[in-house]
Amino acid sequence: MTDGTNPPSHPQPEPAPGSGGYGFPPGPPAQGGYGYPTPSAGYGYPQPGQQPNPYQQDPGGYQQDPGGGYAQDPAGGYPQDPGGYAQDPGGYPQDPAGGQWPPAAPAQPGFTKLAGPDLPGGSSQPDWEAMADRSAAERRRKRLWMLGGGVTVLALLAGGGTFFLLGGNEDGQDAQPSNSASASPEPEDAKEPAAYTATVAGDDTLLRDSYGSMGIRLGPDLKVSPLGKRFQVIGKGNGNSWGQSAEPVVDVTKSFTVTARAYNSAAKGSRIVMSQGDGESFSFELGVNEVNGKQAWIFRVQTGDKGAAATTRTVTAEGLSMVKTPTLLMATYDAEKKAIALYVDGKKAGETPVPPIWQAPGPLQLGRSKHHNIWTGAWQGALHSVKTYDMAFTEEQAAGYKEGKLEPSPKPTHAWLLT
């Protein structure tokens, strides 16, 4: 088979010398060639000085040679068909009675009957155009099959390697889809997710609130530092190791939860992770304090005016490793139960009933607290994943938060330095 662009070739034997060529009678070639008279005889040829008309047909058809057939080319016969299809070895036969063509044979498949005013009976010739169309269609089908197979293989490979990280992170928040794969192809102009930033764009001393609009201004010695691919703040334990919001963040008249991950590097003294309040005292504080001569984690609230010591309530977690130990702290206030609770690494350390908490007018503080109009508890160590909620976590929720299995995951009201 061929593709239709180069017809098959079947060479023919050369005619014997003097035979007249390819079934034509011997004899000298007719004047004018191919049965046409010389130009002087007319038949559509222009007269001297007249331009030829390329579209004018010979009104008489092909003129026969007096010897009984079409006149041969002076070179020795008709030229062969480019495709090499053999002619009848006996020449084109004539009817003895009138020199007419015999009835045409039925056309064969793949051939076209050529007929017209100059070819009364026509002859069977290959339909090169149809053959070329069939060949081109076959090539297109093969290309489509090959392309379709390749696309199928790629789709299967891509489907096997596409997945999402659907689990929660250690704080009980839903994880984001993995950047290494996607469940469906992205548009060409899709952009990569923006990298997490701890601070507000253009101001590296203002912590960015991931769930609200409450930034925290950092003091000179509470510095942002890398923590893997995220960030933390590190305090030096002096009077400049603090951070402060512009306004109060927690409504202490209602239920709330505050949480942070802390790394304490001070072996003694009071070290405050966060608090809220100013003026003469605090509304609440969460951090480290000395209890019975040893450091312990504490959550303390102020229930009376002007910071009177008799009006505070405290929950403690004693006997734990306090120094250079990463720790998840969580403190809650349940306005319905009128109770506060402290959780350390997802475990409940204690709970105590309280009267309503005093609502100090000051903002949220990182790394310090106000006692009798004096800033105390400068933080020494690292802090990150600082969050506030407008609900009181239960014991089960606190444990789920630690394991990253809190469902459904509550949404923070404010969050800074997420990991």
Side-chain angles (χ1 to χ4, degrees):
M1 295 179 62
T2 70
D3 61 2
T5 58
N6 294 311
S9 176
H10 303 283
Q12 300 299 317
E14 293 294 330
S19 63
Y22 300 104
F24 288 92
Q31 187 176 5
Y34 295 94
Y36 283 94
T38 60
S40 60
Y43 292 94
Y45 285 91
Q47 298 299 321
Q50 180 183 355
Q51 295 298 324
N53 183 357
Y55 299 100
Q56 184 175 354
Q57 296 183 357
D58 179 9
Y62 284 88
Q63 183 174 346
Q64 298 182 6
D65 185 278
Y70 284 91
Q72 298 181 11
D73 185 279
Y78 277 7
Q80 296 185 18
D81 178 31
Y85 282 85
Q87 299 181 9
D88 184 355
Y92 290 99
Q94 298 180 5
D95 186 346
Q100 299 297 319
W101 290 82
Q108 299 298 318
F111 291 80
T112 301
K113 191 80 169 181
L114 300 180
D118 294 335
L119 296 175
S123 62
S124 295
Q125 297 291 337
D127 186 349
W128 301 118
E129 184 176 356
M131 295 174 68
D133 289 344
R134 286 195 298 272
S135 180
E138 184 65 25
R139 289 198 303 274
R140 285 194 297 269
R141 282 194 295 270
K142 289 181 179 179
R143 285 197 299 269
L144 289 175
W145 276 106
M146 294 176 66
L147 179 60
V151 170
T152 301
V153 171
L154 290 175
L156 291 174
L157 291 174
T162 301
F163 62 95
F164 279 84
L165 299 179
L166 299 178
N169 64 16
E170 61 182 1
D171 289 344
Q173 303 300 314
D174 292 335
Q176 297 299 317
S178 168
N179 289 336
S180 62
S182 175
S184 61
E186 294 289 333
E188 292 182 0
D189 59 349
K191 297 180 179 179
E192 291 293 327
Y196 177 80
T197 58
T199 57
V200 174
D203 190 346
D204 58 4
T205 66
L206 185 63
L207 293 183
R208 182 174 66 86
D209 185 354
S210 297
Y211 283 86
S213 57
M214 190 66 68
I216 294 180
R217 180 67 62 186
L218 300 178
D221 290 332
L222 190 62
K223 300 289 189 180
V224 176
S225 175
L227 179 64
K229 294 183 178 180
R230 298 298 177 97
F231 301 92
Q232 60 187 348
V233 288
I234 298 178
K236 294 183 178 181
N238 59 30
N240 290 324
S241 301
W242 54 267
Q244 176 177 296
S245 66
E247 301 174 2
V249 171
V250 178
D251 184 353
V252 297
T253 65
K254 301 177 181 179
S255 296
F256 68 85
T257 296
V258 294
T259 180
R261 291 185 174 273
Y263 183 86
N264 173 41
S265 58
K268 60 181 180 179
S270 174
R271 306 293 172 179
I272 300 301
V273 172
M274 77 173 84
S275 69
Q276 183 168 290
D278 60 3
E280 296 185 3
S281 190
F282 57 90
S283 289
F284 70 85
E285 61 183 8
L286 172 66
V288 178
N289 199 15
E290 289 193 0
V291 178
N292 299 322
K294 295 182 179 180
Q295 284 187 327
W297 295 111
I298 62 98
F299 177 48
R300 181 182 289 124
V301 298
Q302 180 64 257
T303 64
D305 293 341
K306 299 182 180 180
T311 62
T312 61
R313 297 289 186 272
T314 305
V315 180
T316 63
E318 301 179 58
L320 302 175
S321 177
M322 300 296 302
V323 181
K324 297 182 179 179
T325 303
T327 305
L328 172 61
L329 299 174
M330 179 180 288
T332 67
Y333 170 62
D334 190 326
E336 293 183 2
K337 292 173 59 177
K338 292 183 172 54
I340 60 172
L342 174 64
Y343 299 87
V344 179
D345 289 331
K347 297 180 180 179
K348 192 173 186 178
E351 180 179 289
T352 189
V354 297
I357 298 174
W358 176 58
Q359 190 174 7
L364 184 76
Q365 304 286 337
L366 291 184
R368 66 181 182 178
S369 179
K370 194 63 134 336
H371 282 232
H372 303 289
N373 207 28
I374 298 173
W375 291 113
T376 64
W379 181 255
Q380 182 177 325
L383 300 172
H384 66 88
S385 296
V386 180
K387 302 176 186 177
T388 65
Y389 295 84
D390 58 0
M391 57 173 286
F393 277 36
T394 65
E395 190 169 351
E396 292 75 15
Q397 287 175 317
Y401 182 93
K402 170 61 173 65
E403 299 299 325
K405 299 178 181 179
L406 183 57
E407 295 294 342
S409 179
K411 181 180 178 180
T413 54
H414 301 278
W416 304 269
L417 298 162
L418 297 183
T419 59

